[in-house]
Amino acid sequence: MGFIMTKRQEQSVNTRRKLLDTAENLLKTQGFNALCVEDITNAAGTAKGTFYTYFKHKEDIVSEICRGYFKNIENQINEMSEKNLIDKLSLYFDNFMKAVEIYGINICREWIRGAIDPVTAPDKTDKTKWQYDIEMLKNILNNAVKNKELKENTPIELLTHLIISELYGMMTCWCMSDGIFEPKDWTKKFCDFQLKVILKDYLV
């Protein structure tokens, strides 16, 4: 017999989901710096104290929104059984950079700060985004080995770090340029040229 939520538990889940959805919509329109907890609770129609029942600060809710976005990408890739690995990785990279544009330059700078110097980064900074991205990409490549898309002797660890370094390099350059170019343009060029070169000796 499956778990059945009480009415109170169901209401709690719905309230939390509403806060997440509201924060995501505001994040896209207002940006990270302009967004405050009161904006979220006002738009969601909840008391300000309700926010702190579920999240410590706005950075927590933003981190969860981003994790959910990337988890959806991973799920899409796992369902692409008819596509080859290059197509799957192209989808991942395209959506990675789409997230960069959606969530904005300030959130990307927080991701980079947490990755570069997690020890001295402010407590509210998301310090695990780099590792989260590494593990997701590693899972995609490991599944490709299991599905016989990549050879068994493929150096997964090395390829993971090479590829994720390219993505973070693009994101860092975008932040350094103050967002004057389209990250997705670089992603397409990377997938069309460099990615195929990186993987060519290991594709089955």
Side-chain angles (χ1 to χ4, degrees), residues 105 108-109 112 116 168-181 186:
I105 201 163
C108 292
R109 284 170 174 159
I112 294 166
I116 290 175
Y168 266 74
M170 293 178 202
M171 184 167 66
T172 302
C173 288
W174 185 65
C175 291
M176 289 169 62
S177 72
D178 210 23
I180 63 172
F181 64 88
W186 277 21

Side-chain angles (χ1 to χ4, degrees), residues 41-63:
T41 54
N42 285 344
T46 63
K48 190 173 181 180
T50 302
F51 179 93
Y52 296 104
T53 301
Y54 304 100
F55 308 99
K56 289 183 179 179
H57 35 65
K58 74 171 184 178
E59 286 81 1
D60 279 351
I61 199 170
V62 170
S63 294

Side-chain angles (χ1 to χ4, degrees), residues 16-191:
R16 194 175 191 279
R17 182 73 258 164
K18 189 173 185 180
L19 288 167
L20 283 164
D21 291 342
T22 302
E24 181 166 12
N25 289 332
L26 291 173
L27 190 61
K28 292 174 183 176
T29 56
Q30 295 182 198
F32 177 72
N33 284 349
L35 183 65
C36 68
V37 170
E38 196 168 1
D39 292 333
I40 298 169
T41 54
N42 285 344
T46 63
K48 190 173 181 180
T50 302
F51 179 93
Y52 296 104
T53 301
Y54 304 100
F55 308 99
K56 289 183 179 179
H57 35 65
K58 74 171 184 178
E59 286 81 1
D60 279 351
I61 199 170
V62 170
S63 294
E64 185 162 337
I65 290 166
C66 295
R67 293 290 189 276
Y69 180 91
F70 284 96
K71 186 63 181 174
N72 286 338
I73 297 172
E74 186 176 28
N75 291 339
Q76 286 180 55
I77 290 170
N78 290 336
E79 293 170 3
M80 293 171 66
S81 56
E82 76 288 355
K83 297 289 186 180
N84 62 44
L85 180 61
I86 297 294
D87 288 338
K88 292 175 182 176
L89 289 173
S90 294
L91 174 75
Y92 172 71
F93 300 150
D94 185 65
N95 280 281
F96 186 102
M97 285 304 165
K98 189 182 292 182
V100 165
E101 294 179 348
I102 287 173
Y103 295 118
I105 201 163
N106 291 309
I107 286 181
C108 292
R109 284 170 174 159
E110 291 297 310
W111 289 344
I112 294 166
R113 186 193 305 187
I116 290 175
D117 196 3
V119 175
T120 61
D123 289 340
K124 295 178 183 180
T125 300
D126 185 355
K127 301 175 185 179
T128 60
K129 181 70 170 65
W130 164 259
Q131 192 59 42
Y132 180 88
D133 292 332
I134 285 176
E135 291 305 317
M136 181 177 291
L137 182 55
K138 193 184 297 182
N139 286 340
I140 293 170
L141 296 177
N142 278 324
N143 284 334
V145 173
K146 290 178 185 176
N147 296 332
K148 301 188 184 308
E149 294 177 273
L150 288 175
K151 297 174 183 177
E152 288 189 9
N153 66 342
T154 299
I156 299 297
E157 195 75 26
L158 173 62
L159 291 180
T160 298
H161 282 85
L162 280 175
I163 294 169
I164 208 70
S165 294
E166 288 279 357
L167 284 176
Y168 266 74
M170 293 178 202
M171 184 167 66
T172 302
C173 288
W174 185 65
C175 291
M176 289 169 62
S177 72
D178 210 23
I180 63 172
F181 64 88
E182 296 292 331
K184 286 179 65 179
D185 289 345
W186 277 21
T187 306
K188 186 176 187 315
K189 291 172 184 175
F190 171 71
C191 292

